[in-house]
Amino acid sequence: MGQFIDEFKKFAMRGNVVDMAVGVIIGGAFGKIVTSVVNDLVMPVLGILVGGVNFTELKLTLKNAVMDGDTVVSPAVTLNYGNFMQSTFDFLIIAFSIFLFIKLINKLSRKKEEEKPATPPAPPADVQLLTEIRDLLKDKK
């Protein structure tokens, strides 16, 4: 049992697993922000542009509700394509934001690679040979 726990600790503490967990948590929070941007900023403006339509309420009724007075006997069956459109906008904004973020990271990492000093060239063969001879003579003493 102790070996199993040790293996699990080793797995859970590997760098890429921890990085992935952090990414999932940040992604969840970022998703909420994007959902709010889409629901509260983008969709109302888009709704006004297309004549005051609220996209989340767009649906196609396949079967009407069966009513007995004020009581619903069988609820309506609907295709809620407005919610689908909302989710599609969310996805596109998240995907575009991630694209921009990855592009920024790649740009910064390229700058770091360019800033690294170039390794000095290897000394000529005769200098290398003299260095080896010196080292061998030093070891004989």
Side-chain angles (χ1 to χ4, degrees), residues 19-72:
D19 292 344
M20 185 178 69
V22 170
V24 167
I25 292 168
I26 290 174
F30 184 69
K32 289 180 181 180
I33 292 170
V34 170
T35 300
S36 176
V37 167
V38 170
N39 292 343
D40 302 331
L41 302 176
V42 174
M43 295 310 276
V45 172
L46 195 58
I48 289 173
L49 293 176
V50 294
V53 176
N54 182 355
F55 281 86
T56 57
E57 295 176 5
L58 293 177
K59 58 187 164 190
L60 176 65
T61 303
L62 300 176
K63 180 181 170 194
N64 289 323
V66 177
M67 305 288 287
D68 183 19
D70 288 339
T71 309
V72 177

Side-chain angles (χ1 to χ4, degrees), residues 77-98:
V77 178
T78 60
L79 286 177
N80 300 322
Y81 65 91
N83 284 334
F84 175 75
M85 290 174 62
Q86 189 87 18
S87 296
T88 302
F89 282 119
D90 285 353
F91 169 77
L92 291 173
I93 290 173
I94 290 172
F96 185 69
S97 300
I98 290 172

